[in-house]
Amino acid sequence: MKTEIKFFGIIGVFFVGVALLYGFWTARVEPVGWVALSLCAGLGFMIAFFLWTVGRKLPLRPDDDEDGEIDQIAGAYGAFSPFSWWPLWLALSAALIFLGVAAGMFISAFGLIPGVWALCGWVFEYYSGEHAH
C-alpha cells in the first residue's frame, strides 16, 4: 500500500499547489475554482490517510516487500462471468439514463426500466441457467 499512499499524497499536494496558484491568479474573486481545487486536495489527502491507517493494521503485501518474488502474488484475482451479456445491456441503459439527465428527463425512463432489468440479471446470473451454483 506504500505506492498507493504516495500516489494519493502526491495528488493532494498537486491540488494544493494548483488551488493556491488559481487563487492567486484570480485574486480569489471567483470562489468556486479554488474551493473545488482545495476540496480535490482534501480528497487526495483523505484517501492517503485512509490507506495509511488501513495499511498499518494489515500485514505487508508482496507488492511492498523489497525481497518479494513474483510467485507470491500469483492466484485468483476475482470471479468473472464467462460470456456474460448483462454488462452490455447495463451500459446501454446507463447511457440512456445519462442522456436523459442531459437532454430530457423523459428519456431516462426509457433507460431506467431496462437498467433495473439488466442489473438484476447481472446480479442473479449465477442463480439460474447454465452457470447456476
Side-chain angles (χ1 to χ4, degrees), residues 45-55:
F45 288 134
M46 185 175 63
I47 294 172
F49 176 74
F50 171 76
L51 291 174
W52 175 73
T53 305
V54 170

Side-chain angles (χ1 to χ4, degrees), residues 96-108:
L96 272 177
I97 290 170
F98 292 131
L99 177 68
V101 170
M105 289 302 287
F106 69 95
I107 300 174
S108 292

